[in-house]
DNA sequence: CTCCACTGGGTATGATGTACGCAGAAAGCG
DNA sequence: CGCTTTCTGCGTACATCATACCCAGTGGAG
């Protein structure tokens, strides 16, 4: 029973020394699972379906991955690998953090199902670790480590929150099987009821007066991000003089 | 087939006019489900278990709630009702937003399973709507509605992100069935391997040098929150003079 | 008083993650 | 080179889940 000792998917060696060559690999399985989740929704990425995708039997996957939860962990970490910050830090911290934020959001939109994967914190897979190094490396020379942590909490909170909202709406629409317009038309009566009740003046103000909801998603994100970066700037010691 | 017309759990009337008195109610079912999820984890709150909790047969629940997803929506909105901001705004926006943030975080910690419920955005249940009114009412008189939206995105992002991190760790420990100390001891080898690899200097700096991870969770949250509130302050027009 | 739209709930179904066991393959050892 | 050991892929089996369907009984509307 060697299983008991490994607390973590990252501690478990992929291949033992003896025996026949494995026909597949963790990476292959992980990528197949991501492909299915992207194309058909995370609920379609069942163990059987993933196995079929790579031409294996259902139970074969368990030779590579101890459980579905661990596969999920592999999937989540693989996604972090899609964030490319090779040339960071460039010296322009604002551009660096914006690049990070934009890439992160784009990744969320490519893989909306990541919102349902909440085992985020204790993962610390290799790609996530690399990303921490790169992102926190941007401000590392400018502020103490505690300050850096606090600022990154704000930035990550904003990016993830914004991405989560976008993705929640998109997933709701996808799951309904309707077009975006049809979905909005279908929900219109409820919206109307809220507005007509007169009990939600601020909600009404948002729906009627705000420019924000009428901007493109990209612009909405960018506006909020600018605010966050301004906030970070005020926390930096002696910002660059003109 | 009246089912087809209701797009939303909030549009569907709880009780029809005719027929015998229902023995239970949506509120009763929702509260039972929350009680189970709190005590035994969200995975224990199955339809059968919830039905058993209130002394009903499994299928009886479907007389009150069209599907498990809708029940989840009811549960999530019920939680928003736990945030009490009756006396807000008090005139001290900073105190008001801090009260909101603290209550929100406390609610997350009471009900960690909310992290797994991601159908957040298009819900707009009654409690969520009321909360939007109260929270956004704090700054409504001070800033334009678009500004208010942007600032709330930052605040909510921080609060939710911080709560999500705390909850993810707590849930991971709970699910392992170990004590916090035993869980940490179990994970120690992996942490050690990361540090010893020498490839993650900033991660190492966080683990070794930062004060932050050694503060209480409450203090960590408060520190970050102060930063966010500072950020909001700089965005307000002519902050109150001394 | 009669009718029928309701009620609670038993049974059944299809899907899921995964435990178990088996036949065959290949690496280590003599 | 043959034997043993340790692996491989994978078919079968099972517990558990949400939920479709059905039925007998009930109580408000006419």
């Amino acid at each position: 029973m060697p299983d008991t000792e490994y607390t973590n998917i990252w501690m478990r060696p992929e291949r033992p020394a003896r025996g026949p060559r494995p026909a597949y690999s963790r990476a292959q399985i992980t990528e197949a699972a991501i492909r299915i989740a992207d194309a058909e929704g995370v609920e379609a990425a069942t163990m059987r379906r993933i196995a079929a995708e790579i031409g294996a039997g259902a139970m074969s996957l368990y030779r590579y991955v101890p459980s579905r939860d661990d596969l999920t962990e592999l999937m989540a970490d693989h996604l972090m690998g899609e964030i490319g910050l090779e040339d960071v830090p460039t010296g322009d911290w604002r551009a660096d953090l914006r690049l990070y934020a934009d890439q992160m959001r784009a990744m969320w939109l490519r893989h909306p199902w990541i919102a349902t994967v909440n085992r985020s914190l204790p993962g610390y897979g290799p790609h996530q670790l690399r990303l921490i190094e790169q992102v926190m490396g941007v401000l590392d020379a400018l502020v103490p480590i505690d300050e850096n942590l606090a600022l990154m909490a704000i930035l990550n909170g904003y990016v993830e929150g914004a991405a989560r909202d976008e993705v929640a709406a998109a997933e709701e629409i996808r799951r309904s099987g309707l077009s975006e317009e049809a979905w909005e038309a279908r929900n219109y009566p409820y919206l109307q009821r809220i507005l007509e009740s007169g009990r939600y003046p601020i909600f009404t103000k948002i729906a009627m007066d705000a420019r924000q909801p009428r901007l493109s998603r990209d612009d909405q994100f960018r506006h909020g991000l600018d605010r966050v970066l301004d906030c970070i700037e005020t926390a930096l010691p002696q910002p660059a003089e003109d």
Side-chain angles (χ1 to χ4, degrees), chain A:
Chain A
M1 60 200 74
D3 282 30
T4 330
E5 221 33 58
Y6 302 115
T7 165
N8 201 300
I9 182 70
W10 311 113
M11 289 291 273
R12 179 184 301 255
E14 164 139 26
R15 293 192 41 188
R18 301 278 294 276
R21 287 276 168 69
Y24 315 101
S25 72
R26 272 188 196 165
Q28 189 183 359
I29 293 169
T30 305
E31 281 157 24
I34 290 175
R35 212 178 312 126
I36 296 168
D38 287 348
E40 306 166 35
V42 69
E43 69 276 4
T46 67
M47 296 302 265
R48 287 169 226 264
R49 178 78 181 73
I50 297 166
E53 176 82 5
I54 61 173
M59 289 312 293
S60 304
L61 300 191
Y62 288 93
R63 295 283 171 198
Y64 300 85
V65 161
S67 74
R68 180 163 215 293
D69 277 358
D70 289 280
L71 176 55
T72 304
E73 184 95 26
L74 289 173
M75 293 167 72
D77 192 67
H78 190 95
L79 260 41
M80 296 301 159
E82 292 186 8
I83 312 292
L85 298 176
E86 289 74 22
D87 303 330
V88 160
T90 62
D92 182 349
W93 63 266
R94 209 177 170 102
D96 290 348
L97 293 184
R98 200 192 302 273
L99 177 66
Y100 162 67
D102 284 341
Q103 288 207 43
M104 197 62 140
R105 168 167 173 264
M107 186 272 280
W108 272 69
L109 296 182
R110 277 196 302 276
H111 312 287
W113 46 268
I114 195 190
T116 69
V117 177
N118 73 312
R119 44 172 36 232
S120 51
L121 189 67
Y124 292 132
H127 288 117
Q128 192 182 338
L129 285 170
R130 182 198 54 98
L131 190 57
I132 290 173
E133 294 299 310
Q134 293 178 334
V135 174
M136 295 199 60
V138 171
L139 297 184
D140 187 51
L142 301 176
V143 298
I145 186 69
D146 283 299
E147 187 76 12
N148 203 344
L149 281 169
L151 295 177
M152 287 305 107
I154 296 175
L155 178 64
N156 279 319
Y158 172 75
V159 171
E160 189 174 318
R164 206 174 275 275
D165 284 351
E166 279 192 66
V167 153
E171 280 284 273
E172 182 83 9
I173 293 171
R174 181 189 64 80
R175 210 170 293 201
S176 75
L178 273 49
S179 73
E180 184 167 349
E181 299 76 28
W183 183 83
E184 274 171 12
R186 184 183 150 110
N187 271 60
Y188 186 73
Y190 182 57
L191 182 66
Q192 200 62 18
R193 203 176 75 176
I194 294 173
L195 298 178
E196 283 172 359
S197 76
R199 273 181 298 170
Y200 306 107
I202 294 188
F203 185 89
T204 305
K205 201 189 228 185
I206 295 170
M208 310 297 285
D209 300 346
R211 280 180 316 123
Q212 187 98 274
R214 273 175 275 278
L215 294 176
S216 75
R217 290 288 193 176
D218 284 5
D219 285 340
Q220 284 183 50
F221 181 75
R222 220 173 306 278
H223 270 64
L225 182 59
D226 282 335
R227 278 246 164 288
V228 173
L229 294 175
D230 289 345
C231 169
I232 290 175
E233 180 156 14
T234 65
L236 297 183
Q238 43 190 18
E241 309 273 322
D242 289 337

